[in-house]
Amino acid sequence: MIGAIMSGKIADYIGRRGTMGFSDIVCIIGWAIIVFSKAAWWLDLGRLLVGYGMGLLSYVVPVYIAEITPKNLRGGFTTVHQLMICIGVSMTYLIGAFLNWRILALIGTIPCLVQLIGLCFIPESPRWLAKTGKGIESEAALQRLRGADADISEEAAEIREYTETLERLSEGGILELFQRKYAHSLIVGVGLMVLQQFGGVNGIAFYASSIFISAGFSGSIGMIAMVVIQIPMTLLGVLLMDKSGRRPLLLVSAAGTCLGCLLAALSFLFQDLQQWIKATPFLALVGVLVYTGSFSLGMGGIPWVIMSEVFPINMKGSAGSLVTLVSWLGSWIISFTFNFLMKWSSTGTFFAFSAICSLTVLFVAKLVPETKGRTLEEIQASMNPFS
């Protein structure tokens, strides 16, 4: 959460590439402290640093991707980022089942080092360069991204024109976000993150094995089944993102998470009523798998895609920090309360999550705009008409 609060300002100040490099160094130090820890407080410090680095990365990476990709591929690219997270987490689950935690922490430094070295070979975001008054570097970066023979004049002119419009506006602070002209972007960006987290994803992901065990199913088989479903569904989301659009995918995904929670709730309800005892473990498994698959299809990645698209560049730093903070705060609240909620009532917990997921369907249908195939400038002009 501390990383999230600072992410927007750091990314605006030292650039998207600089922020990623800084995050990698912080994460490497964090993992090293965990690897060589001699007391419990070393572990806490290491976790704090890795968490801070992740808070920065979770904002700056989707923004960087949205700012460098052509409009017809932007959604797919941003969801590939989600797919990579999904593969990384799944691999860590599998490796972690066999290795000691110190070795696992040591392995954690490898992606950070790879990214740190890789940053030397990629250009800075052309939109950030234009915003900081480096027009020539901006066009050079854009040309490098689009290929030596590509005609970038139209895209470069659009970025330049939009940046000039923004120069007449002040750099926005967090409080300025709450003006009426940014209301639509703010409601969509923050609303999707709140609904994504309060739909229970982190409670279900972190406590999946204990959910399976309490439903009378094998924890390890359940976890492997989750990983097996997660990766293909995220991949399907990537393929459909720029074909079917954001809204249809979000609607299907939210409806699926609602159904998954409903099935899990019914499984626990039948257990409480001592009905269909043989079928309830499988009902819980199917419920959690339907939830995980549906979440991976759209609700996992698309809120981050939309967050990187709907805010104008002068507000992106503050807005991104706020949205990322809301996401991690929601994640912490759900992870922290999930055990207490399950002790109170497993059935009630999943019925509550199911109700929130059904609200998500309504929210998307009424408020979320379609952003497929439009430039960032077009999206923001339609959502935040400059007075």
Side-chain angles (χ1 to χ4, degrees):
M1 282 159 58
I2 296 166
I5 295 168
M6 296 168 70
S7 58
K9 283 291 173 222
I10 294 176
D12 281 353
Y13 191 64
I14 63 171
R16 311 328 189 197
R17 252 176 61 180
T19 308
M20 287 188 266
F22 175 62
S23 307
D24 289 328
I25 292 164
V26 171
C27 287
I28 289 168
I29 296 167
W31 285 126
I33 291 172
I34 291 172
V35 172
F36 299 112
S37 56
K38 299 273 190 291
W41 68 268
W42 284 43
L43 292 176
D44 289 334
L45 180 63
R47 294 273 299 188
L48 193 72
L49 287 171
V50 173
Y52 175 75
M54 286 315 305
L56 289 176
L57 283 171
S58 61
Y59 161 75
V60 76
V61 174
V63 167
Y64 177 75
I65 294 169
E67 288 181 353
I68 65 167
T69 44
K71 63 182 178 182
N72 58 324
L73 297 171
R74 191 177 58 239
F77 265 104
T78 315
T79 331
V80 166
H81 164 231
Q82 206 59 34
L83 174 68
M84 293 300 156
I85 291 175
C86 170
I87 291 172
V89 170
S90 304
M91 277 169 60
T92 314
Y93 270 139
L94 295 174
I95 297 167
F98 306 105
L99 291 180
N100 163 306
W101 58 265
R102 279 187 204 268
I103 299 169
L104 199 61
L106 193 60
I107 292 170
T109 60
I110 297 169
C112 307
L113 287 165
V114 169
Q115 188 177 26
L116 196 55
I117 297 161
L119 287 172
C120 306
F121 303 98
I122 62 169
E124 181 52 273
S125 155
R127 284 177 168 89
W128 180 78
L129 289 167
K131 177 174 168 267
T132 51
K134 297 176 182 157
I136 297 162
E137 291 97 321
S138 168
E139 289 192 23
L142 192 61
Q143 190 74 64
R144 199 177 146 197
L145 286 160
R146 299 291 176 264
D149 304 327
D151 177 16
I152 58 157
S153 53
E154 198 180 320
E155 196 175 356
E158 200 169 343
I159 292 172
R160 198 165 49 241
E161 197 180 311
Y162 190 71
T163 311
E164 283 162 9
T165 312
L166 290 170
E167 275 171 4
R168 298 195 285 274
L169 302 163
S170 62
E171 184 69 32
I174 288 253
L175 294 173
E176 282 178 47
L177 264 179
F178 296 95
Q179 293 175 29
R180 190 157 174 207
K181 62 182 170 183
Y182 302 123
H184 190 189
S185 293
L186 194 66
I187 290 166
V188 170
V190 172
L192 279 175
M193 286 299 174
V194 169
L195 291 164
Q196 181 199 51
Q197 292 300 337
F198 283 86
V201 61
N202 279 316
I204 291 167
F206 296 157
Y207 296 104
S209 58
S210 52
I211 295 169
F212 292 132
I213 290 161
S214 67
F217 200 83
S218 157
S220 53
I221 292 174
M223 289 299 287
I224 292 165
M226 262 178 79
V227 170
V228 167
I229 287 247
Q230 215 170 9
I231 295 175
M233 289 303 279
T234 309
L235 190 57
L236 182 64
V238 171
L239 298 173
L240 292 174
M241 170 75 68
D242 286 311
K243 291 213 167 42
S244 67
R246 297 13 168 189
R247 271 171 59 89
L249 264 185
L250 270 177
L251 289 167
V252 170
S253 172
T257 54
C258 177
L259 175 67
C261 285
L262 196 61
L263 292 174
L266 289 172
S267 149
F268 286 113
L269 180 66
F270 290 141
Q271 255 189 355
D272 294 344
L273 299 173
Q274 298 291 306
Q275 300 287 325
W276 294 339
I277 297 295
K278 290 236 167 69
T280 53
F282 290 99
L283 195 58
L285 177 71
V286 170
V288 172
L289 294 184
V290 166
Y291 180 92
T292 308
S294 304
F295 185 86
S296 302
L297 182 67
M299 277 306 290
I302 297 177
W304 292 99
V305 177
I306 289 177
M307 181 271 299
S308 64
E309 292 175 333
V310 296
F311 293 108
I313 201 160
N314 67 320
M315 301 307 290
K316 212 173 237 181
S318 309
S321 291
L322 178 68
V323 170
T324 315
L325 171 67
V326 166
S327 173
W328 290 111
L329 180 64
S331 164
W332 175 71
I333 291 169
I334 292 297
S335 314
F336 189 75
T337 56
F338 190 79
N339 264 346
F340 301 113
L341 287 169
M342 288 292 276
K343 281 195 185 108
W344 159 71
S345 162
S346 304
T347 312
T349 303
F350 280 97
F351 274 132
F353 287 155
S354 181
I356 292 167
C357 294
S358 63
L359 275 178
T360 310
V361 177
L362 291 174
F363 181 84
V364 172
K366 292 284 176 209
L367 290 167
V368 177
E370 183 52 79
T371 57
K372 177 186 79 147
R374 296 159 77 191
T375 65
L376 297 183
E377 288 71 24
E378 284 166 1
I379 296 162
Q380 289 145 18
S382 69
M383 289 186 77
N384 314 299
F386 298 128
S387 48

